[in-house]
C-alpha cells in the first residue's frame, strides 16, 4: 500500500467515525432522509397558512366574547348552540338528501352512539373552559389548556396507532416554550388575570375541557380521514344542537331572557357564530392534511392574535415577548410538520411490536446504504 493510499484510508475512517453519531441522531429524530429542500415545501407553507387562518377565526370568537362580556352578556351555551345550529342546517341537511349507506338514517342505525359521545365531549369541552374563567386566572387557563396536546398525542398513539419520532416531541416542547413566553409577557405587562374565587375548581375545569377536546379531536381525525368531512360535521351539528339546546334551556333561560337585544349585541352574536361555523367547517380540512395534534399546535398562536387585537381594541400593553412567543411557536409547528408521523396499524405493513411500516423501514435501509457503500470503499482501499 502506498503512502497516499494510507493517508486516504485514515481520513476516510475518521470521517466515518465522525458521521456515525450524527447519523444515529438524525435517525432517532426521523431526519435521516430529509434535507432543507425536503422541509421547505409549498405543502408545509400551505399548512402553516391554513393553521394561522384557524387561529384568526379563534381570535374572532375571543374578541366578540370580550365585547359581549363588556356588555354584561354571559351566555356561552347560547353561543355554542348557534354554531351547532348552523352546522345542522348545512351539513346535516346534506346528509338527509344522500342515498345509500351515506344517508343520515343509515349512519344513525350503526354509529349513533359514537357520534353522541363525540358531540357530548365537544359541547362539554366548550362549556367547561368558558366556565373556568369564573373561578381561576387567565395564566392558569393558558398554561393548563396546553394539556390537550399530550392527551391528544396519547390518544392518537393508542386509538389511531400514530407513531411519533423524537423530533415531534422536541417540536411540542418548543411550542410549549413559546406559550410560556406568552404567559410571562402577560404577567410582566400586568394584564388582568380575572377571577381567583376557586382556583382548584377552575383549574380542574380547564383540565377536563382539555381531555374532552382531545377526545373530540381524535374522533374528528379518524372520521375525516376514514369516512368524510360532511359526515363528521353533519353528526356534530345534529348531536351538538340537541345537547347544547337542552343545556341552554336548563342553565341559561334567565340569562337569555335578560339580554337587552339591539343591533350591536345581535352583530356580536352573529360574528361569534359565523367565526365558529367557519372554524368547525375549515378545521377538518387541515386535520385531513396533517393531524389533530399539528392543528392544535398551530392554534397555540390564537391567544397571540387575540392579544394583538387587544392592544388596539382593549388597550393591552405591548411586549416584545409576544413577538418572540409567536416566532417560537411557529418554529415548533414547522419542526412538527417537517417530518411525517407514521402508523403502526397491522394493515400498513407494521409488526405487532410497533416497528415502522414497510415504507419507513425502506427509508431507514436506504439511509444506511450510503454508509454501507462507504464501508465497502474503505475495505477495498485497505485491500490494495
Amino acid at each position: 500500500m502506498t503512502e497516499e493510499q494510507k493517508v486516504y484510508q485514515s481520513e476516510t475512517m475518521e470521517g466515518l467515525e465522525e458521521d456515525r453519531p450524527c447519523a444515529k441522531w438524525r435517525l432517532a429524530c426521523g431526519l435521516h432522509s430529509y434535507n432543507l429542500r425536503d422541509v421547505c415545501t409549498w405543502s408545509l407553507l400551505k399548512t402553516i397558512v391554513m393553521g394561522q387562518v384557524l387561529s384568526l377565526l379563534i381570535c374572532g370568537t375571543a374578541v366578540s366574547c370580550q365585547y359581549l362580556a363588556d356588555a354584561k352578556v354571559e351566555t356561552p351555551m347560547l353561543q355554542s348552540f348557534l354554531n351547532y345550529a348552523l352546522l345542522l342546517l348545512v351539513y346535516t341537511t346534506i346528509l338527509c338528501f344522500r342515498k345509500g349507506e351515506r344517508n343520515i338514517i343509515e349512519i344513525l342505525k350503526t354509529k349513533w352512539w359514537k357520534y353522541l359521545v363525540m358531540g357530548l365531549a365537544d359541547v362539554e369541552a366548550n362549556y367547561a373552559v368558558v366556565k373556568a374563567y369564573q373561578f381561576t386566572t387567565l395564566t392558569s387557563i393558558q398554561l393548563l389548556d396546553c394539556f390537550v396536546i399530550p392527551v391528544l398525542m396519547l390518544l392518537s398513539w393508542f386509538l389511531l396507532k400514530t407513531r411519533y419520532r423524537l423530533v415531534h416531541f422536541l417540536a411540542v416542547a418548543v411550542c410549549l416554550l413559546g406559550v410560556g413566553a406568552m404567559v410571562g409577557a402577560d404577567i410582566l405587562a400586568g394584564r388582568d388575570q380575572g377571577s381567583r374565587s376557586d382556583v382548584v375548581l377552575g383549574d380542574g375545569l380547564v383540565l377536563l375541557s382539555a381531555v374532552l377536546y382531545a377526545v373530540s379531536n381524535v374522533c374528528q381525525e379518524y372520521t375525516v380521514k376514514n369516512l368524510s368531512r360532511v359526515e363528521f360535521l353533519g353528526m356534530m351539528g345534529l348531536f351538538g344542537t340537541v345537547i347544547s339546546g337542552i343545556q341552554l334551556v336548563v342553565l341559561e333561560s334567565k340569562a337569555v331572557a335578560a339580554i337587552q337585544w339591539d343591533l350591536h349585541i345581535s352583530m356580536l352574536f352573529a360574528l361569534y357564530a359565523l367565526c365558529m361555523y367557519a372554524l368547525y367547517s375549515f378545521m377538518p380540512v387541515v386535520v385531513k392534511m396533517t393531524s389533530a395534534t399539528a392543528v392544535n399546535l398551530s392554534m397555540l398562536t390564537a391567544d397571540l392574535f387575540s392579544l394583538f387585537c387587544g392592544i388596539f381594541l382593549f388597550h393591552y400593553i405591548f411586549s416584545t415577548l409576544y413577538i418572540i412567543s409567536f416566532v417560537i411557536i411557529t418554529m415548533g409547528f414547522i419542526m412538527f410538520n417537517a417530518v411525517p408521523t407514521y402508523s403502526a396499524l397491522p394493515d400498513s405493513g407494521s409488526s405487532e411490536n410497533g416497528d415502522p411500516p414497510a415504507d419507513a423501514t425502506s427509508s431507514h435501509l436506504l439511509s444506511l446504504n450510503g454508509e454501507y457503500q462507504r464501508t465497502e470503499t474503505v475495505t477495498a482501499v485497505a485491500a490494495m
Side-chain angles (χ1 to χ4, degrees):
M1 181 184 296
T2 64
E3 190 66 28
E4 291 81 0
Q5 290 173 336
K6 289 181 180 179
V7 172
Y8 174 76
Q9 178 184 351
S10 176
E11 292 177 349
T12 307
M13 290 297 294
E14 289 176 1
L16 180 59
E17 292 297 326
E18 292 174 355
D19 283 351
R20 278 176 180 169
C22 182
K24 290 178 180 179
W25 172 254
R26 286 167 60 84
L27 179 61
C29 290
L31 299 172
H32 55 272
S33 59
Y34 294 91
N35 53 43
L36 188 60
R37 186 180 302 174
D38 296 323
V39 173
C40 301
T41 63
W42 282 111
S43 178
L44 178 60
L45 178 61
K46 183 167 64 174
T47 301
I48 295 172
V49 171
M50 294 174 76
Q52 297 317 297
V53 169
L54 294 178
S55 290
L56 286 171
L57 290 172
I58 296 176
C59 173
T61 65
V63 170
S64 58
C65 281
Q66 183 63 56
Y67 275 116
L68 286 171
D70 292 344
K72 307 300 181 184
V73 177
E74 296 183 357
T75 54
M77 196 52 65
L78 173 60
Q79 293 163 227
S80 294
F81 176 79
L82 293 175
N83 168 50
Y84 293 122
L86 286 175
L87 295 176
L88 175 74
L89 289 174
V90 177
Y91 296 103
T92 310
T93 303
I94 294 175
L95 291 179
C96 290
F97 287 96
R98 283 184 168 180
K99 297 180 180 180
E101 295 181 353
R102 299 193 301 167
N103 181 268
I104 187 171
I105 302 299
E106 297 300 322
I107 294 173
L108 291 174
K109 283 181 180 179
T110 57
K111 294 176 283 190
W112 66 271
W113 66 272
K114 297 179 182 179
Y115 287 116
L116 174 62
V117 171
M118 181 184 70
L120 184 64
D122 196 75
V123 172
E124 300 310 326
N126 288 326
Y127 183 75
V129 73
V130 173
K131 198 70 176 176
Y133 280 92
Q134 299 178 18
F135 302 104
T136 191
T137 64
L138 175 65
T139 298
S140 293
I141 292 174
Q142 288 175 322
L143 290 174
L144 295 176
D145 196 40
C146 297
F147 185 61
V148 67
I149 295 172
V151 174
L152 187 53
M153 294 179 75
L154 189 65
L155 291 177
S156 298
W157 183 283
F158 287 105
L159 300 180
L160 303 180
K161 305 301 180 184
T162 302
R163 295 295 179 260
Y164 301 98
R165 304 182 190 278
L166 179 59
V167 68
H168 297 121
F169 296 104
L170 293 175
V172 170
V174 170
C175 288
L176 296 182
L177 179 64
V179 174
M182 175 182 64
V183 172
D186 284 343
I187 295 174
L188 292 175
R191 187 180 173 196
D192 181 20
Q193 292 293 302
S195 174
R196 290 181 175 87
S197 61
D198 194 336
V199 174
V200 175
L201 175 59
D203 291 351
L205 287 172
V206 179
L207 293 175
L208 175 62
S209 72
V211 173
L212 293 174
Y213 272 130
V215 172
S216 175
N217 287 172
V218 166
C219 293
Q220 177 178 180
E221 182 173 349
Y222 176 84
T223 306
V224 299
K225 289 186 176 181
N226 295 279
L227 299 172
S228 76
R229 167 177 166 270
V230 173
E231 180 173 328
F232 166 76
L233 292 172
M235 292 295 101
M236 181 65 77
L238 175 61
F239 287 102
T241 301
V242 173
I243 296 169
S244 62
I246 293 173
Q247 287 191 218
L248 174 62
V249 173
V250 174
L251 301 175
E252 294 184 359
S253 296
K254 293 182 180 180
V256 173
I259 297 176
Q260 301 294 321
W261 291 97
D262 56 26
L263 180 61
H264 177 67
I265 297 297
S266 300
M267 291 296 291
L268 290 175
F269 271 103
L271 175 62
Y272 179 89
L274 290 175
C275 285
M276 284 295 287
Y277 172 78
L279 175 66
Y280 271 67
S281 299
F282 190 48
M283 185 172 173
V285 177
V286 189
V287 168
K288 189 170 184 178
M289 290 177 56
T290 56
S291 67
T293 304
V295 169
N296 276 272
L297 288 174
S298 70
M299 291 193 299
L300 290 176
T301 58
D303 286 336
L304 288 168
F305 284 124
S306 299
L307 289 169
F308 295 147
C309 290
I311 291 171
F312 299 99
L313 300 176
F314 307 114
H315 308 293
Y316 293 162
I317 299 175
F318 175 77
S319 172
T320 308
L321 280 176
Y322 291 142
I323 302 295
I324 296 174
S325 175
F326 180 83
V327 172
I328 293 174
I329 293 174
T330 303
M331 288 174 56
F333 179 70
I334 293 173
M335 287 175 59
F336 190 92
N337 286 278
V339 179
T341 58
Y342 63 92
S343 174
L345 290 173
D347 59 359
S348 65
S350 63
S351 60
E352 293 182 357
N353 60 6
D355 290 335
D359 55 346
T361 307
S362 300
S363 298
H364 179 191
L365 294 175
L366 286 172
S367 68
L368 298 180
N369 190 46
E371 184 174 342
Y372 174 72
Q373 289 177 348
R374 291 181 60 193
T375 306
E376 283 189 324
T377 301
V378 173
T379 305
V381 171
M384 290 180 180

